[in-house]
Amino acid sequence: MSNNEFHALAVEAVRNHLLETHAENSEVSIIYTMRIFENYKALLSTDGMCYIVSYDGSAKELHFKAYKQIATKHIYVG
């Protein structure tokens, strides 16, 4: 699987989740992706939600997690 194929698969997984939960069809943004050997991981977001989509290349499985943003804070550390 190429990087572009994984990106399309991850965005499709988020869009399918939005359709299944009857959520608004928001713009899906890819925040971060990484690849290690045949495994991929992506952090994606929509309005107020974050998603982690992982692809296990050995098992040919896609893992999907959805998180709701509860708070945003700026913390001064220095």
Side-chain angles (χ1 to χ4, degrees):
M1 173 178 298
S2 72
N3 289 339
N4 289 338
E5 289 172 323
F6 173 70
H7 292 169
L9 191 61
V11 169
E12 181 182 349
V14 172
R15 287 195 178 129
N16 287 341
H17 173 74
L18 293 172
L19 289 172
E20 290 169 6
T21 59
H22 306 290
E24 289 185 24
N25 195 4
S26 302
E27 180 180 340
V28 178
S29 300
I30 298 175
I31 306 301
Y32 177 80
T33 62
M34 62 176 282
R35 177 182 180 193
I36 299 175
F37 301 115
E38 57 191 23
N39 303 314
Y40 290 87
K41 184 169 280 203
L43 173 63
L44 302 97
S45 73
T46 60
D47 294 334
M49 293 288 292
C50 292
Y51 306 91
I52 296 176
V53 179
S54 303
Y55 177 74
D56 182 341
S58 298
K60 306 270 191 263
E61 291 179 338
L62 195 68
H63 303 273
F64 178 88
K65 296 177 184 176
Y67 300 94
K68 183 157 182 77
Q69 180 178 338
I70 295 174
T72 300
K73 291 192 223 181
H74 296 277
I75 300 171
Y76 182 73
V77 293

